[in-house]
Amino acid sequence: MSPRLLAPLGSGGCSFEGEEYQADEMGTVDVPDEAVATLSAHGFTGYTDPVVVPDEAVGEYTIKHAGRGKYKVFKGDEEVASGLTKPDAEAEAAALQSATPAPPAQDAPEAPEPATPETPAQEATPQG
Amino acid sequence: METTNDTLRLVAEAQKAPLGDDVLRNFASPANATTGLMGYDLEAPSKKLYPVLTPLRNRIARRADGYAIQSNWRAVTGINTGSMRLGVSAGNRGGVVAQTTADYLAKFVGCGLENNVTFEADYASKNFEDVKALAVTQLLQSCMIGEEFLDLGGNGTVAIGQTATPALADVATGGTLAAATAYKVGCVALTLSGYQQLVAANNGSVNNSPSFVTGLTQVISRTNADATTDNINGGTAIISAVASQTTASDGNPTHCISATVTPLAGAVAYAWYWGVTGASTMYLGAVTTINSILITAAASSANQNYGALTASQDNSNCALEYDGLLTQIMKSGSGAYFVDLATGTAGTGTKLTSDGAGGIDALNTAFASFWDNYRLSPDEIYVGAQVLLDMNALIIANGGAPLIRYNLDAGGGSIDAGTVIGTVLNKITNTKVKVLVHPNMPKGSIMFFSNSIPYPLNDVGSILLKHLRRDYYQIEWPLRTRKYEYGVYFDGVLKNYFPPAFGLIRNIAPGH
């Protein structure tokens, strides 16, 4: 598999040993192994596909990876905190969640009547 | 006699009117230097306002006892090469050591120049200068300058091959190249003679006038004084294949093309051609002493085009020359220290760096190599002006004590600012290495030079020897026309008994 390099911003690509390699719309270019060292002098750097970090829900809040190790906290589509490390984002989401008022009572289902015991209480057995 | 008012009036009127030519007969200053009644104040003789700098030639020993067609010598290059152990068992003899030897040769070549003085030039110069003597003196000086050049950069034996195809990249900003355009780039590696020819070396003249319009000459066809012809290779490697790079389709005419080539042993510079269609519309736009360039604008179409160069033609060496020090150092298998600084950023290169302790990192690395491999230290470093200034700035700026001396006298104060390094310390051998500027040293290079071999009983009187079949001689040719014809010649070769005592760092970017 050919190494994939990231071209400098706005570059149309590169040429190595007479062969031209155009950058794609993401600014990446696949080149031969032996071209990597040479093209580093032209500002081309190693490229790896970004790692997808799954979102994490904390109650009504969602923690999303924003890249480069930084996280944001969302409530729905609204961004409520950013530039946090993951532990800080989790703590922030938890704090926001705990500060969120409980839902109104009328929305809650009625509590069931206490059940009548069908069997008599067991008599106490004296010890010893 | 009584003066009347009428008399006074007449005198006044006469003074107002200029005298006619028939009346004016006084002597006026001549209108120019060559008319009128005066001599011609020409100082004799003519002043000689050109440099004749031959530091290597002046210091290399000469011996004029050569004969046959080449000089040969043999050397022992290692003793006990197997590191035989010394211990012996009782009553027995020790192990037998091995040694390595090598054979060397260097072909003699003839070198010389001609000049002439017509009879009329001789007559005309009477009472001003002896032009016949001048012709011969300047022939001798010209030969010495040429010999200095050969001592440094002559290349008689090493064909350096083909220049690598440039690696290119589109750069979005910083230039004036068009978007969505396929730019073509070619490169020609140059030996010292090719480089000097292109940039118009001025040892022997003042000022220089590089001409990209004339550009490179791969083969110089020289008509000699006797009407014979010699073809002299111009110091150019085989030209590179053409590389192409299309700029991004962003609509911005702000593009650049960065280009690099793999450094070629034997080269000291690179000539770059670029354009948009093909070889015939790629023009010489720059010459660099590092292996890269950032092309920011179109090259002038008045300059030499790439199509004017013959492909597949290696004109880097010339059999009429002997190998100079740079060629000897860069020659494969020489054992000399030969390093290129890294390509770095294309168009910028790699600069020298301070070691933070009054030295230069690249020099320390070289000194370590000389010691580790050959247990020696070079005595001198030859550089061009730019490298000297950069080295100086790096060393002096190294957090040192104030280096400005303040002189104060009754008339006021003055500051004598600036200082320059005369030597650098080899921190491994604790020896001082002189730093000298050389008139023909290409930019971006440092050459290490040794005066002697620090090994005992080495039978090498001088590490470098100009071995000659005949040292400088002058010929006044028999008259064949109404010209006095002169030639100054020598015949020999530069022998280097120990190339590992020499070295070269190339590809040094300017700056510090």
Side-chain angles (χ1 to χ4, degrees), chain B residues 19-273:
Chain B
L19 295 174
D21 286 345
D22 54 338
V23 179
L24 184 61
R25 286 292 182 266
N26 63 328
F27 294 101
S29 178
N32 59 57
T34 56
T35 60
L37 300 178
M38 63 177 179
Y40 189 70
D41 185 2
L42 174 63
E43 259 187 78
S46 61
K47 313 305 176 194
K48 283 65 179 180
L49 306 180
Y50 52 86
V52 182
L53 303 173
T54 58
L56 291 173
R57 186 200 164 277
N58 294 352
R59 65 179 309 114
I60 294 172
R62 305 174 80 84
R63 201 177 74 208
D65 60 358
Y67 58 97
I69 62 168
Q70 63 187 35
S71 183
N72 307 278
W73 67 102
R74 293 194 168 116
V76 178
T77 56
I79 58 170
N80 190 11
T81 52
S83 299
M84 187 70 74
R85 300 298 184 92
L86 268 65
V88 293
S89 52
N92 295 328
R93 292 164 63 178
V96 179
V97 299
Q99 54 277 320
T100 55
T101 63
D103 296 345
Y104 301 92
L105 64 90
K107 290 184 177 178
F108 294 116
V109 297
C111 301
L113 294 169
E114 295 261 345
N115 203 351
N116 60 68
V117 176
T118 64
F119 279 28
E120 285 73 15
D122 185 37
Y123 306 152
S125 66
K126 192 174 179 181
N127 296 329
F128 180 71
E129 187 149 33
D130 183 344
V131 288
K132 291 193 289 186
L134 183 65
V136 175
T137 301
Q138 295 186 341
L139 260 186
L140 181 62
Q141 291 173 326
S142 298
C143 281
M144 288 178 169
I145 291 169
E147 185 186 0
E148 178 71 15
F149 182 84
L150 290 181
D151 287 351
L152 181 66
N155 182 1
T157 63
V158 181
I160 66 176
Q162 183 169 19
T163 313
T165 305
L168 309 178
D170 171 34
V171 180
T173 57
T176 59
L177 300 182
T181 304
Y183 284 95
K184 317 287 184 183
V185 179
C187 183
V188 186
L190 306 175
T191 67
L192 185 62
S193 62
Y195 173 64
Q196 297 281 34
Q197 186 187 341
L198 184 57
V199 301
N202 66 348
N203 191 10
S205 63
V206 291
N207 295 324
N208 53 25
S209 53
S211 173
F212 284 8
V213 175
T214 304
L216 298 175
T217 305
Q218 290 172 295
V219 179
I220 301 162
S221 181
R222 185 186 67 195
T223 302
N224 300 316
D226 56 4
T228 59
T229 302
D230 278 321
N231 289 327
I232 312 290
N233 280 341
T236 56
I238 299 173
I239 67 174
S240 79
V242 174
S244 178
Q245 178 59 52
T246 304
T247 50
S249 302
D250 56 9
N252 297 324
T254 57
H255 286 260
C256 303
I257 298 287
S258 59
T260 57
V261 289
T262 305
L264 194 57
V268 299
Y270 302 89
W272 300 89
Y273 295 72

Side-chain angles (χ1 to χ4, degrees), chain B residues 124-469:
Chain B
S125 66
K126 192 174 179 181
N127 296 329
F128 180 71
E129 187 149 33
D130 183 344
V131 288
K132 291 193 289 186
L134 183 65
V136 175
T137 301
Q138 295 186 341
L139 260 186
L140 181 62
Q141 291 173 326
S142 298
C143 281
M144 288 178 169
I145 291 169
E147 185 186 0
E148 178 71 15
F149 182 84
L150 290 181
D151 287 351
L152 181 66
N155 182 1
T157 63
V158 181
I160 66 176
Q162 183 169 19
T163 313
T165 305
L168 309 178
D170 171 34
V171 180
T173 57
T176 59
L177 300 182
T181 304
Y183 284 95
K184 317 287 184 183
V185 179
C187 183
V188 186
L190 306 175
T191 67
L192 185 62
S193 62
Y195 173 64
Q196 297 281 34
Q197 186 187 341
L198 184 57
V199 301
N202 66 348
N203 191 10
S205 63
V206 291
N207 295 324
N208 53 25
S209 53
S211 173
F212 284 8
V213 175
T214 304
L216 298 175
T217 305
Q218 290 172 295
V219 179
I220 301 162
S221 181
R222 185 186 67 195
T223 302
N224 300 316
D226 56 4
T228 59
T229 302
D230 278 321
N231 289 327
I232 312 290
N233 280 341
T236 56
I238 299 173
I239 67 174
S240 79
V242 174
S244 178
Q245 178 59 52
T246 304
T247 50
S249 302
D250 56 9
N252 297 324
T254 57
H255 286 260
C256 303
I257 298 287
S258 59
T260 57
V261 289
T262 305
L264 194 57
V268 299
Y270 302 89
W272 300 89
Y273 295 72
W274 62 86
V276 292
T277 308
S280 61
T281 53
M282 293 164 55
Y283 301 100
L284 176 58
V287 58
T288 64
T289 50
I290 59 173
N291 66 327
S292 67
I293 185 174
L294 185 65
I295 298 167
T296 59
S300 168
S301 60
N303 294 350
Q304 183 184 43
N305 72 66
Y306 209 48
L309 300 176
T310 305
S312 305
Q313 189 169 292
D314 192 335
N315 302 110
S316 53
N317 65 314
C318 176
L320 303 180
E321 297 177 356
Y322 56 81
D323 287 347
L325 290 173
L326 294 180
T327 302
Q328 293 174 359
I329 291 167
M330 291 191 271
K331 205 171 194 172
S332 176
S334 72
Y337 180 78
F338 175 37
V339 163
D340 289 317
L341 292 194
T343 300
T345 302
T348 302
T350 301
K351 300 170 185 174
L352 294 173
T353 54
S354 168
D355 68 356
I360 304 279
D361 288 319
L363 298 186
N364 291 344
T365 304
F367 292 146
S369 176
F370 280 114
W371 177 252
D372 289 345
N373 293 298
Y374 297 102
R375 298 287 187 255
L376 58 80
S377 170
D379 299 298
E380 294 167 3
I381 290 172
Y382 283 92
V383 295
Q386 179 65 54
V387 171
L388 177 60
L389 292 173
D390 291 340
M391 286 174 58
N392 195 57
L394 282 169
I395 290 172
I396 302 301
N398 186 54
L403 293 162
I404 295 174
R405 188 175 69 236
Y406 189 62
N407 290 341
L408 183 64
D409 57 27
S414 67
I415 292 175
D416 295 336
T419 186
V420 67
I421 52 171
T423 62
V424 293
L425 181 66
N426 181 340
K427 297 172 184 178
I428 296 161
T429 58
N430 195 22
T431 52
K432 291 179 180 177
V433 181
K434 279 186 186 174
V435 181
L436 302 166
V437 67
H438 190 282
N440 301 119
M441 199 68 194
K443 295 174 182 173
S445 295
I446 295 174
M447 185 179 75
F448 298 91
F449 183 98
S450 295
N451 292 318
S452 60
I453 304 172
Y455 305 154
L457 305 174
N458 57 45
D459 282 323
V460 176
S462 173
I463 195 167
L464 291 175
L465 176 68
K466 187 62 64 63
H467 198 190
L468 302 151
R469 289 191 295 191

Side-chain angles (χ1 to χ4, degrees), chain A residues 24-80:
Chain A
D24 61 18
E25 58 187 11
M26 296 292 290
T28 64
V29 55
D30 295 328
V31 298
D33 286 326
E34 57 271 24
V36 173
T38 298
L39 292 174
S40 68
H42 298 262
F44 286 68
T45 55
Y47 177 82
T48 51
D49 290 324
V51 176
V52 177
V53 178
D55 296 346
E56 182 180 332
V58 179
E60 296 179 10
Y61 295 89
T62 308
I63 299 169
K64 295 189 175 195
H65 185 222
R68 297 178 183 270
K70 296 298 181 186
Y71 291 80
K72 293 180 177 180
V73 180
F74 288 81
K75 183 179 182 183
D77 293 334
E78 180 191 359
E79 179 184 312
V80 294

